[in-house]
Amino acid sequence: MSAQTYLAYDYPLLSVFWSMLLFFLWIMWFVLLFRVVVDIFRDDDMSGWAKTGWLVLTVLLPFLGVFVYVIARGKNMGRREIAQARAQQEAFDARIRQAAGSEGRPSSVDELARLSEIRDRGAITDDEFRKAKELVLTGHAPAGPSGSTTHASHR
């Protein structure tokens, strides 16, 4: 039973740094590999056969395949990633605008401010202002003095 035990001080500091460096390089390699594979699928300009060829190259000869891909097509990898991020942000913004219900429609506060301006100029009476205000607050389009909406009644 002469099993040799190693303690922490038996592992030199330089070996710890070397092990950590190799570990992080190994992680970086997998990140790069997955980014290349994702970029192959993301590229709409590439044909199916070209995608298959790049995938076969990166699976069978991973180091060579990834490095050749980065050299040949790496410049546009960032552009495709930025374009996808922009498209996702625009879709998110559109969804938020749709959920908020502000698709080009002025808010009630804007409508009331316009009605107040029209009343102050004397284009509508206090009674017409009160009726239009009730319509705005109930969610209907307010009618101006001639029966049109306030968007068209700016005189």
Side-chain angles (χ1 to χ4, degrees), residues 35 39 42 76-86:
R35 286 193 65 174
D39 189 65
R42 178 185 296 150
N76 292 326
M77 282 176 69
R79 291 182 184 148
R80 283 187 289 276
E81 190 169 339
I82 289 171
Q84 182 189 18
R86 258 193 210 122

Side-chain angles (χ1 to χ4, degrees), residues 90-124:
E90 289 171 3
F92 178 75
D93 292 345
R95 176 71 179 124
I96 294 297
R97 279 193 299 275
Q98 179 188 10
S102 62
E103 281 291 326
R105 199 177 83 206
S107 69
S108 302
V109 174
D110 294 335
E111 288 290 332
L112 290 174
R114 283 192 203 112
L115 282 172
S116 179
E117 289 175 17
I118 293 171
R119 181 187 61 180
D120 292 342
R121 287 190 309 220
I124 59 174

Side-chain angles (χ1 to χ4, degrees), residues 63-77:
F63 286 107
L64 181 66
V66 167
F67 292 135
V68 169
Y69 186 85
V70 169
I71 291 168
R73 301 182 49 84
K75 185 176 184 180
N76 292 326
M77 282 176 69

Side-chain angles (χ1 to χ4, degrees), residues 5 22 34 45 49 53 65 68 75 78 100 111 129:
T5 59
L22 288 177
F34 289 127
D45 297 336
W49 288 108
V68 169
K75 185 176 184 180
E111 288 290 332
F129 173 76

